Amino acid sequence: MGNKKIIITIDGWSSCGKSTLAKELASALTYLYIDSGAMYRAITLYFLRNHVNWSKDKAVKEALKDIELDYAFNESSQQNEILLNGENVEYVIRDMVVAEKVSEIAAIKEVREFAVEQQRKLGKKKGIVMDGRDIGTVVFPRADLKIFMTADIAVRVERRFKELYAKNPNITIEEVKNNVEMRDYIDSHREISPLKKAADAVVLDNSNMTKDEQLRFAIDLAQKKLGVPA
Ligand code: DC
């Protein structure tokens, strides 16, 4: 697709399939994929494990000094996986205990500044697809292509339930629904960088779309930005 490299942002509601699309799009373009939510989840895991009192600014600042986030490429999953102080936490950060607290922690100013700084560094070379909540609005407001994903709440809950049920058959659909709704509410109502569509983002409602259709839609948009003839 030529030498031009762009920044692509994918924001949207919880459990919309942002990371699935972002991963596939990055792979089709041979771009780097970064899951910004994984950073907030890894920070949350650290706070929980170390009993950090996140209602206190000082405790948060001190804790962030001890956190180092990195990515390592996993040959078998063909993905960059997140490392928290050298430990691969890509899978534990998906647990419900982390999901229950992550929105609260992601709303803290110092936590956001810490994560955004790292996200911007990763985008320096372009050739990146990053997904999250504020990537097109705050992290890369001048990104070349911005996609905003949405889907019916019932569809999103069903998708997340299937994913979590595979790991924990005791989980109920109500628990998942409550968590998705709570995260949507906190993410879109917080004071700093709330989830919202960037004015120049393209909306992708995937309630009734297959994964292939979504990928085609995103590749077409990227090719237009890259000047590739249809
Ligand atoms: O995408 P995810 O569900 O893994 O994100 C986990 C939480 O992190 C989500 O509830 C909101 C927060 N988040 C955020 O505030 N900003 C981002 N750029 C990405 C995620």
Side-chain angles (χ1 to χ4, degrees):
M1 251 182 235
N3 291 327
K4 188 179 170 193
K5 296 261 183 206
I6 60 172
I7 292 183
I8 302 175
T9 65
I10 302 187
D11 289 301
W13 302 97
S14 292
S15 309
C16 265
K18 296 184 297 295
S19 34
T20 306
L21 175 63
K23 259 180 224 168
E24 289 177 356
L25 181 61
S27 151
L29 301 171
T30 56
Y31 274 20
L32 175 68
Y33 162 60
I34 294 293
D35 169 3
S36 70
M39 293 184 181
Y40 293 100
R41 287 173 179 264
I43 296 167
T44 301
L45 180 67
Y46 182 92
F47 281 14
L48 289 170
R49 279 180 175 174
N50 294 280
H51 310 288
V52 174
N53 180 354
W54 59 81
S55 63
K56 301 260 182 289
D57 280 4
K58 192 161 174 275
V60 168
K61 279 186 194 148
E62 285 302 312
L64 289 172
K65 280 189 206 152
D66 293 329
I67 297 181
E68 211 177 286
L69 300 177
D70 276 305
Y71 288 88
F73 190 73
N74 179 334
E75 287 292 339
S76 61
S77 67
Q78 288 289 302
Q79 291 305 324
N80 278 310
E81 296 185 345
I82 194 159
L83 306 183
L84 168 62
N85 294 336
E87 175 193 350
N88 186 324
V89 293
E90 181 67 34
Y91 301 95
V92 283
I93 58 169
R94 312 286 159 198
D95 284 351
M96 203 62 176
V97 273
V98 172
E100 272 168 6
K101 296 288 173 221
V102 64
S103 285
E104 205 181 304
I105 286 166
I108 302 170
K109 183 169 161 272
E110 288 78 12
V111 169
R112 297 209 73 80
E113 286 169 358
F114 176 86
V116 168
E117 191 189 330
Q118 312 210 12
Q119 290 154 11
R120 287 190 178 140
K121 270 190 205 149
L122 289 163
K124 279 235 159 73
K125 290 192 198 137
K126 299 208 167 188
I128 188 169
V129 182
M130 191 178 290
D131 74 336
R133 303 294 187 290
D134 61 338
I135 310 303
T137 50
V138 173
V139 182
F140 301 121
R142 300 178 61 191
D144 310 83
L145 172 59
K146 302 178 185 178
I147 298 176
F148 187 87
M149 286 177 75
T150 182
D152 288 348
I153 178 81
V155 174
R156 295 193 280 128
V157 169
E158 183 68 30
R159 284 182 192 150
R160 185 61 107 200
F161 176 71
K162 278 192 189 142
E163 205 178 287
L164 290 168
Y165 185 82
K167 289 198 284 181
N168 170 15
N170 294 322
I171 200 137
T172 66
I173 197 116
E174 284 71 34
E175 265 177 278
V176 176
K177 184 167 186 280
N178 290 340
N179 180 256
V180 170
E181 284 178 346
M182 176 201 71
R183 290 203 290 139
D184 282 352
Y185 184 85
I186 303 179
D187 295 344
S188 56
H189 286 80
R190 68 179 173 226
E191 211 173 305
I192 313 156
S193 317
L195 167 68
K196 60 172 190 256
K197 185 186 101 53
D200 52 349
V202 180
V203 175
L204 169 56
D205 180 338
N206 67 10
S207 309
N208 298 303
M209 283 171 91
T210 64
K211 283 184 188 162
D212 284 350
E213 286 167 342
Q214 295 171 55
L215 181 61
R216 191 65 259 162
F217 178 88
I219 289 178
D220 285 349
L221 291 172
Q223 286 182 331
K224 275 193 197 114
K225 294 286 174 186
L226 288 162
V228 176

